[in-house]
Amino acid sequence: MLIHVEDLVHIYAPGTPLERMALRGVNVEIHPGERVGILGPTGSGKSTLVQHLAGLLEPTAGRVWLDDVVAHGRGAAARAHRLRVGLALQYPEDQIFAQTVFDEVAFGPRNLGLAEAKVLTRVHWAMGLVGLDKAEADCPGRDCSSRSQMEQRVPFTLSGGEMRRVALAGILAMRPEVLILDEPTASLDPRGRRELLARMRAWQGETGLTLILVSHDLDELARVVDRAVVIVEGRLVADGPVRRILSDGELLHHAGLDVPQPVALLQALQKAGWPVRTDRLLPEEAVAEVLRARGPGQIASKGGET
């Protein structure tokens, strides 16, 4: 599915003392199968933009197209296209409503009219994908009590991280063509973040779906996306390969963001005279770049400098 955003403007509470312009003439295209990160400071308009991509908001001006259909349209074609887009909101409690985890995850597939046996399969698959039932992968074909217990839990009794996983599982169970994740790893511990992002990237690689990730964590974006879009005060200020964007200290400073820690280290070394590249975004890449720059015998030649 091609997503085309054309001169998009969104104003909250127009004509009132609370009027606020969230998006100011945004233009962007996202092609099928892309992995795109949307970044910017708090209040920059990122969440407003992705809600438009999912057809949840009506623009003040401009249009969002899903293929050749207006995203927020009221007809059957627009509704069918919106069903191909899955959005996991920043605050999962805003989209959870069912009385059990199972019914929450099953809601979408049931709404598609799937047979209950297929619904059951999708629920178990989606819960496993987001790590809600780690034991399930270890006991195929057997009674997994941990899965049964989680399925019957009331979602609002779960931790913030668990609620986020439930909300995401409900989206994944729909098998969307476009998956939009708004701060998906908030409330997760570092291990849980790495695990969830690895699962999402692996699934995107297997299915070829379009993955759009909103995050303020640039190290997180560096591991998942290939392209980065920067939003500042409702305006799109940069769009390009993630390595170029996340290694551009001047651009990120203007956007109120810091470069990823590996990039900051390499930039400091470069200023100190080290012949290093500064577009190495991941810690392991930075280590490899430092070792390459040192070369054989560099420790001794630098007199033990580190």
Side-chain angles (χ1 to χ4, degrees), residues 175-202:
R175 300 288 180 94
E177 293 179 30
V178 178
L179 178 60
I180 305 173
L181 306 178
D182 192 352
E183 300 287 357
T185 62
S187 305
L188 298 180
D189 58 38
R191 180 178 177 180
R193 291 175 187 173
R194 290 192 300 270
E195 178 186 280
L196 182 60
L197 290 174
R199 288 169 183 260
M200 292 300 99
R201 173 140 188 171

Side-chain angles (χ1 to χ4, degrees), residues 250-272:
E250 184 177 349
L251 167 66
L252 295 179
H253 177 74
H254 171 70
L257 301 167
D258 295 322
V259 297
Q261 291 182 356
V263 174
L265 170 63
L266 293 170
Q267 288 177 344
L269 290 174
Q270 190 180 73
K271 287 181 181 179

